Amino acid sequence: MSTFRFKSVEEASGRKPVEVKLPDTDVRKYYAKNVFNRQKMFEYLPDAVFKELVEAIDNKRPINRMTADAVAEGMRRWAIENGARHYTHWFHPLTDGTAEKHDSFIEHDGKGGVIENFSGKLLVQQEPDASSFPNGGLRNTFEARGYSAWDISSPAFILNNTLCIPTIFISYTGESLDYKTPLLRALNSVDKAAVRVARYFDPEVKHVNSFLGWEQEYFLIDEALYSARPDLMLTGRTLMGHESAKNQQLEDHYFGAIPKRVEAFMLELEYEAHKLGIPIKTRHNEVAPNQFELAPIYEETNLANDHNLLIMSLMSEVASRHNFRVLLHEKPFDGVNGSGKHNNWSLGTDKGTLLFSPGKTKEQNLQFIVFVANVMAAVHRHNALLKASIMSATNAHRLGGNEAPPAIISMFLGQQLTEIFEKLEANESNINFSPGDGMDLNVAQIPALMLDNTDRNRTSPFAFTGNRFEFRAVGSSANCASAMIALNAAVASQLNQFADIVDKRIGDGEDLHSVILDEVRILLKKSRDIRFDGNGYSEDWTKEAARRGLDTQTSAPLMFDAYLSADSIQMFEETGVFSKVELYARNEVKWEMYTKKIQIEARVLGDLAINHIIPAATRYQSLLLDNVYKIKNLFPEAKAHDIAAQDMKGIEVIAHHISEIRLLVDTLIESRKVSNRLTSEREKAISYHDNVCPLMDRIRYHIDKLELMVDNEIWPLPKYREMLFIR
Ligand code: ADP
Ligand code: MG
């Protein structure tokens, strides 16, 4: 009898919520307590240094060595006063998650003792021996040096008594080895390009910032049950498991009451997040059982992304104190919804104008239309790239499934905006949306209220939602930077093109507003095919999208090719976000990661099938055989035949599944061997996708059938119905 099941279920259901003690003060007292933000800078830095640093951050320029020394000194003092003993450069290599290597503050004092020290040199730049991070061949092992360099735009923070300094990570020869470097480049390029266009409407604009508000979905599962599932532990998802009779069909979980144990977890998570200055605001149940979501108030994209990475590690930490495990995998359980991470994205000027927000004056509305039209053009032109930016071995399970956005990027604008665009496109002379607000000078008057997003299309991967776009195809475990790099760079490139043409035409003496409207019309016409307000899950849409020339590729390794198309390379080079060398190297990493993830899954599945499932099925089969044997001994032959008929059939069916599993596992191993012999990372990934993945599905099919037949007490793994309902 499997003891774990009864023990775990008992534990899982009998567990009381862990009591959370929050300080008895209001959130303002501890919010950002562990962040070296401007208030702390002001307190701990000499006046001149504070001014210099703030100035550098605001104007996006580097600081000099003397300033760095002074900042390091203040930062160290603050950190030590707040319990830190170590410091680390915190960076985002091309793996999932973040990396850190801790050093303590101590240095020899020259007299046989130590002093606590932290110089500007150590703050600003380090040389981690990071040769084993993925780099796609950019560094061979004898040139293993990589540099991490302080990103002054994201404040340092204290986590687990360690001062963490957000840094970029680049190779000795200057190629990016992380997500942050290209993200900063992309943000910089969209800043410059958007400023050019925003100045047509307000010449005073100095900067345009990109904003990100992510919505993080996740599953929780009781730790005891998690520990009894090697597949969850090693791959983040269940590789087998029959659907529970009840899962989400009653739609009773979404926005339902949050279970007490989970609420305690959320409360503590929010407290920890707030201490780190992460403005968590929203929490609710999601569609699937045990699925939840949290979202912050949006922030500048680079900071928001740091905060998302930070919250993902905080979640695991806090969960373990509540006897939970957090599953960030996009599809931990078959048959119920997977998890995404909607990226709400917008642009705004340093003067506080949100550029995707319709305004009150005709100038503001024209500006709004110009920016939305340019986003549309960029998403149209780079739809394949945007899809590649969110694709991974894990997100592949979610996209294209009957729940999440399809594996086609299209754009939802809503009825009103669509109407406006259609009229603009048709060059109608009067666009009149509410009585009295007619068109003046051929410029649409759009009352602010009008675009309140009432009709949102949940099947759209990229939707306009009132004052922002929601890029919904991003996976729950992803680093948002990947999507944000592609999107901001693509939009930057498009805005530059737009500004080039407009500049040229007004240089030739044409009228600014007519030129802008004219060019908007051209964009709208050219990119009309990206607009789709219908049901993204329907089969017709796949056909229609292909007819429109949108990318409908469903194989992840082939989607990655979009990064290396002539158009993508040109766009990334022109915006300064990636060099061709970087793009090629990164694709090697993408293919390699894809292969490795599937390889691990295939191995785990094979092991479980042979070591867990087949032995259990055989034991049950032998119980049945025993039974039949006894029946035959006891009853006359004809009668025995009748009585034992069902068991005999069961024995045969089990034997069939067992033999299929054995055969398929052998084929799976063989198929891996064949794939592994391929030397090109791309070919290898394609082979894993085409040959290994389908075998895994077939093995799972037989295992799930066995789960339905075999004695519950013998079945060696916790079942969906046990894992999916936290009480
Ligand atoms: P919903 O689930 O209805 O989309 P949520 O409240 O869960 O709404 O999440 C909305 C997210 O959008 C939040 O993270 C919020 O901060 C973000 N957001 C709102 N306005 C903007 C904006 N202008 N730019 C970027 N993000 C935004
Ligand atoms: Mg949303």
Side-chain angles (χ1 to χ4, degrees):
M1 186 170 81
S2 79
T3 48
F4 83 81
R5 161 167 298 138
F6 296 95
K7 203 170 123 227
S8 331
V9 169
E10 217 171 71
E11 259 179 77
S13 57
R15 272 184 178 155
K16 297 239 166 0
V18 175
E19 208 187 320
V20 183
K21 287 219 172 67
L22 297 187
D24 194 19
T25 56
D26 76 88
V27 60
R28 279 173 301 180
K29 296 242 169 71
Y30 58 82
Y31 190 79
K33 178 176 174 286
N34 294 339
V35 185
F36 195 66
N37 58 10
R38 288 192 187 196
Q39 187 205 329
K40 268 47 153 261
M41 290 173 188
F42 182 74
E43 213 175 301
Y44 283 84
L45 302 180
D47 263 4
V49 175
F50 171 75
K51 283 208 187 88
E52 171 78 19
L53 180 59
V54 166
E55 177 94 339
I57 294 172
D58 286 346
N59 294 306
K60 307 185 182 182
R61 53 174 182 73
I63 52 169
N64 64 35
R65 185 53 195 278
M66 260 168 56
T67 310
D69 276 334
V71 175
E73 173 51 27
M75 212 187 255
R76 180 188 63 84
R77 232 169 10 98
W78 168 75
I80 288 178
E81 277 177 32
N82 285 279
R85 288 285 164 270
H86 292 77
Y87 64 90
T88 179
H89 273 198
W90 183 80
F91 56 100
H92 318 167
L94 298 174
T95 54
D96 298 337
T98 55
E100 45 199 78
K101 171 190 157 236
H102 297 189
D103 285 298
S104 80
F105 287 113
I106 58 166
E107 302 267 351
H108 283 301
D109 66 355
K111 300 177 207 120
V114 291
I115 49 164
E116 284 179 319
N117 191 26
F118 185 49
S119 64
K121 185 166 157 266
L122 290 172
L123 165 66
V124 170
Q125 184 176 320
Q126 294 201 15
E127 226 185 273
D129 173 24
S131 51
S132 47
F133 289 107
N135 59 71
L138 278 177
R139 287 176 313 155
N140 39 32
T141 31
F142 54 86
E143 187 44 274
R145 271 183 295 176
Y147 289 120
S148 56
W150 184 29
D151 163 21
I152 61 171
S153 63
S154 180
F157 55 90
I158 298 173
L159 184 64
N160 296 332
N161 298 325
T162 300
L163 170 68
C164 300
I165 301 149
T167 56
I168 59 166
F169 182 44
I170 54 175
S171 77
Y172 182 59
T173 43
E175 281 97 8
S176 62
L177 297 171
D178 65 347
Y179 284 109
K180 198 188 249 290
T181 309
L183 178 62
L184 290 172
R185 291 177 186 156
L187 296 175
N188 199 23
S189 76
V190 83
D191 176 4
K192 292 215 173 79
V195 162
R196 287 181 70 190
V197 176
R199 280 191 183 153
Y200 295 139
F201 305 93
D202 178 356
E204 308 274 279
V205 169
K206 285 202 194 70
H207 284 290
V208 169
N209 288 312
S210 160
F211 297 109
L212 167 64
W214 39 264
E215 299 163 48
Q216 178 74 53
E217 293 181 345
Y218 61 98
F219 279 84
L220 284 176
I221 168 171
D222 189 89
E223 180 142 43
L225 297 169
Y226 172 87
S227 309
R229 292 284 312 214
D231 48 355
L232 269 183
M233 291 177 70
L234 297 179
T235 73
R237 75 178 179 108
T238 54
L239 300 172
M240 57 193 69
H242 197 278
E243 264 184 55
S244 164
K246 171 183 190 291
N247 47 47
Q248 65 189 43
Q249 59 279 63
L250 299 180
E251 291 166 0
D252 51 356
H253 193 249
Y254 191 60
F255 281 17
I258 299 172
K260 284 283 167 285
R261 279 182 70 192
V262 176
E263 206 175 306
F265 155 78
M266 288 173 163
L267 200 63
E268 189 175 347
L269 176 62
E270 282 162 5
Y271 171 60
E272 293 296 337
H274 288 160
K275 281 198 295 185
L276 283 165
I278 308 174
I280 296 300
K281 187 173 167 66
T282 311
R283 61 179 188 201
H284 60 76
N285 285 5
E286 259 304 324
V287 172
N290 280 17
Q291 193 187 28
F292 308 93
E293 177 184 303
L294 87 170
I297 301 170
Y298 67 90
E299 300 176 284
E300 185 278 318
T301 297
N302 176 42
L303 182 62
N305 190 43
D306 279 355
H307 281 167
N308 181 247
L309 289 160
L310 206 46
I311 202 106
M312 290 198 283
S313 52
L314 267 186
M315 286 166 91
S316 314
E317 216 178 284
V318 174
S320 72
R321 296 205 280 269
H322 291 258
N323 306 311
F324 284 133
R325 283 292 178 147
V326 168
L327 305 179
L328 292 171
H329 193 287
E330 282 76 1
K331 193 78 182 172
F333 303 101
D334 255 22
V336 295
N337 273 17
S339 301
K341 176 151 54 196
H342 294 182
N343 277 203
N344 293 269
W345 169 80
S346 65
L347 295 174
T349 69
D350 55 343
K351 299 179 74 193
T353 307
L354 278 181
L355 293 166
F356 306 136
S357 194
K360 294 199 171 61
T361 67
K362 59 192 176 193
E363 281 273 311
Q364 287 166 347
N365 284 330
L366 182 59
Q367 170 166 279
F368 160 72
I369 284 173
V370 164
F371 276 92
V372 172
N374 273 284
V375 172
M376 198 172 125
V379 173
H380 179 239
R381 177 170 153 203
H382 296 287
N383 72 87
L385 174 70
L386 286 170
K387 191 168 77 180
S389 80
I390 53 91
M391 189 39 76
S392 64
T394 51
N395 205 18
H397 293 281
R398 182 173 155 260
L399 292 189
N402 210 22
E403 49 157 309
I408 300 166
I409 300 294
S410 64
M411 215 160 136
F412 171 83
L413 291 179
Q415 193 193 333
Q416 285 151 328
L417 199 49
T418 303
E419 267 172 31
I420 293 169
F421 277 13
E422 270 162 13
K423 289 193 175 178
L424 271 173
E425 225 185 278
N427 208 354
E428 283 190 22
S429 62
N430 195 339
I431 301 181
N432 194 347
F433 293 100
S434 71
D437 278 343
M439 192 137 110
D440 189 11
L441 281 175
N442 212 13
V443 175
Q445 277 285 87
I446 307 160
L449 248 184
M450 233 195 61
L451 287 176
D452 234 21
N453 57 85
T454 41
D455 50 349
R456 288 205 251 156
N457 181 340
R458 303 237 295 160
T459 70
S460 175
F462 199 98
F464 178 72
T465 51
N467 63 358
R468 61 186 187 272
F469 290 94
E470 239 182 276
F471 193 5
R472 301 205 179 109
V474 183
S476 50
S477 71
N479 184 324
C480 303
S482 182
M484 287 294 111
I485 292 164
L487 179 59
N488 285 290
V491 169
S493 151
Q494 172 55 42
L495 287 169
N496 273 328
Q497 253 180 37
F498 183 81
D500 285 346
I501 301 173
V502 171
D503 284 354
K504 168 142 198 329
R505 288 182 61 179
I506 51 177
D508 293 344
E510 288 188 68
D511 168 65
L512 176 67
H513 279 182
S514 339
V515 168
I516 286 179
L517 263 182
D518 210 32
E519 291 301 328
V520 163
R521 253 180 216 117
I522 296 172
L523 288 185
L524 293 180
K525 278 200 189 116
K526 236 177 36 190
S527 50
R528 187 193 291 145
D529 279 341
I530 196 71
R531 274 175 10 208
F532 180 64
D533 285 9
N535 176 10
Y537 299 167
S538 74
E539 250 173 59
D540 291 350
W541 170 230
T542 309
K543 285 189 207 120
E544 166 67 9
R547 198 193 53 73
R548 293 187 187 186
L550 299 178
D551 184 275
T552 56
Q553 181 56 254
T554 55
S555 153
L558 291 175
M559 282 183 207
F560 297 152
D561 287 348
Y563 272 98
L564 303 180
S565 73
D567 204 26
S568 297
I569 292 176
Q570 195 218 328
M571 184 278 283
F572 280 129
E573 287 200 322
E574 151 209 318
T575 49
V577 173
F578 286 124
S579 67
K580 195 169 172 177
V581 173
E582 286 173 316
L583 285 169
Y584 272 88
R586 280 169 180 261
N587 258 36
E588 290 290 298
V589 175
K590 285 191 193 26
W591 286 312
E592 194 184 327
M593 282 290 169
Y594 180 88
T595 299
K596 283 184 176 162
K597 291 212 167 157
I598 309 286
Q599 186 177 49
I600 292 170
E601 287 187 351
R603 286 177 179 165
V604 173
L605 179 65
D607 288 353
L608 282 179
I610 301 298
N611 302 325
H612 285 60
I613 305 303
I614 291 188
T618 311
R619 223 176 313 154
Y620 180 58
Q621 188 189 37
S622 124
L623 277 180
L624 292 179
L625 279 166
D626 238 27
N627 197 36
V628 171
Y629 196 73
K630 286 173 187 157
I631 290 171
K632 294 216 159 142
N633 277 338
L634 264 173
F635 293 95
E637 200 183 319
K639 189 137 197 206
H641 189 80
D642 276 358
I643 299 178
Q646 285 308 320
D647 283 352
M648 300 274 285
K649 209 161 140 202
I651 291 163
E652 265 179 59
V653 175
I654 291 173
H656 163 73
H657 289 309
I658 290 178
S659 97
E660 283 295 302
I661 292 172
R662 274 197 212 287
L663 264 172
L664 286 166
V665 169
D666 283 346
T667 320
L668 181 73
I669 293 169
E670 209 34 59
S671 164
R672 283 208 313 268
K673 280 190 192 151
V674 172
S675 309
N676 292 344
R677 278 197 287 271
L678 297 167
T679 48
S680 138
E681 290 297 346
R682 180 174 178 276
E683 297 304 319
K684 206 186 287 183
I686 293 172
S687 177
Y688 264 86
H689 173 272
D690 293 354
N691 306 317
V692 176
C693 288
L695 284 167
M696 290 177 45
D697 290 342
R698 287 171 63 194
I699 295 172
R700 177 182 187 141
Y701 168 82
H702 292 287
I703 294 178
D704 290 355
K705 287 285 175 211
L706 283 174
E707 186 188 311
L708 289 182
M709 302 183 69
V710 171
D711 178 358
N712 189 52
E713 282 193 18
I714 294 176
W715 194 252
L717 298 171
K719 296 180 176 177
Y720 272 28
R721 62 161 191 263
E722 293 163 324
M723 289 187 285
L724 275 174
F725 298 92
I726 291 172
R727 283 193 280 161

